[in-house]
């Protein structure tokens, strides 16, 4: 089960709110968010309510201030649990059209996401399970369940 804790102040201080499910409107619980602890699972955070605006992917870990999840401000207004997929298998390529250096990633969705943190990915081939790509800054990608098949350009 996924679990996330939001804190109003940096370094896990101030009012907090804990969640294990999707939250379309966090404004009711917190006015702002300066630190987060993801105890298990993966989450997509959004700067606006109802899963709108800039999005940030967080996996298990501690984020003592909003800059650690690459945010420009302390606005987190909604979050979505990224369901873990067991037995996922994907090949990622450094160049378009499934060319260049290839790396095969196997595991659940959080383990496969780790493959993308350290590699430029221009195309992919999903071998098992379903995936959808998200680009948060135009250069890095995170992955969660979506559709099966080749993506020669790195787009879903």
């Amino acid at each position: 089960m996924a679990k996330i804790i939001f804190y109003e102040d940096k370094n896990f201080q101030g009012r907090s709110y804990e969640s294990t499910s999707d939250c379309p409107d966090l404004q009711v619980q917190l006015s702002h968010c300066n630190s987060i602890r993801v105890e298990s699972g993966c989450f997509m955070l959004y700067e606006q309510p109802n899963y709108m605006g800039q999005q940030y992917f967080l996996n298990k870990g501690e984020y003592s201030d909003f800059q650690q999840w690459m945010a420009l401000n302390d606005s987190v207004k909604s979050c979505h649990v990224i369901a873990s997929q067991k037995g996922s298998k994907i090949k990622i390529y450094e160049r378009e059209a499934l060319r260049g250096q290839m790396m095969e990633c196997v595991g659940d969705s959080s383990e496969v996401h780790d493959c993308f943190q350290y590699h430029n990915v221009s195309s992919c081939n999903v071998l098992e399970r379903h995936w959808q790509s998200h680009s948060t800054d135009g250069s890095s990608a995170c992955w969660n369940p979506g559709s099966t098949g080749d993506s020669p350009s790195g787009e879903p």
Side-chain angles (χ1 to χ4, degrees):
M1 174 187 298
K3 182 178 177 183
I4 189 170
I5 306 170
F6 302 92
Y7 297 87
E8 283 194 334
D9 299 328
K10 292 180 179 182
N11 299 312
F12 318 106
Q13 301 295 311
R15 273 185 36 186
S16 66
Y17 175 70
E18 182 178 307
S19 180
T20 57
S21 62
D22 291 352
C23 299
D25 191 357
L26 288 167
Q27 296 177 105
V28 176
Q29 288 80 18
L30 301 170
S31 62
H32 56 276
C33 179
N34 277 294
S35 55
I36 295 175
R37 185 174 282 131
V38 178
E39 294 192 354
S40 58
C42 300
F43 291 83
M44 190 67 74
L45 308 181
Y46 299 85
E47 284 188 351
Q48 300 298 320
N50 298 312
Y51 318 108
M52 303 290 288
Q54 183 66 39
Q55 56 185 324
Y56 306 98
F57 179 86
L58 271 64
N59 56 2
K60 185 177 178 179
E62 295 188 344
Y63 306 85
S64 60
D65 68 60
F66 64 81
Q67 293 172 334
Q68 289 189 324
W69 66 82
M70 306 305 283
L72 300 175
N73 58 52
D74 62 1
S75 179
V76 176
K77 304 298 184 195
S78 55
C79 78
H80 173 69
V81 176
I82 305 296
S84 180
Q85 295 286 313
K86 299 292 182 192
S88 299
K89 189 174 183 180
I90 188 169
K91 287 183 180 180
I92 58 176
Y93 297 84
E94 67 177 342
R95 295 182 23 211
E96 291 186 8
L98 308 174
R99 295 181 302 132
Q101 187 174 358
M102 182 272 297
M103 180 176 186
E104 187 171 295
C105 304
V106 179
D108 67 24
S109 56
S110 62
E111 291 168 343
V112 172
H113 174 264
D114 291 341
C115 291
F116 297 98
Q117 287 185 313
Y118 307 104
H119 303 284
N120 286 330
V121 178
S122 294
S123 58
C124 68
N125 175 261
V126 177
L127 304 171
E128 294 177 22
R129 298 292 178 186
H130 303 282
W131 294 84
Q132 177 181 351
S133 66
H134 294 274
S135 180
T136 58
D137 65 2
S139 62
S140 63
C142 50
W143 301 80
N144 66 319
S147 60
T148 303
D150 293 344
S151 180
S153 67
E155 296 297 320

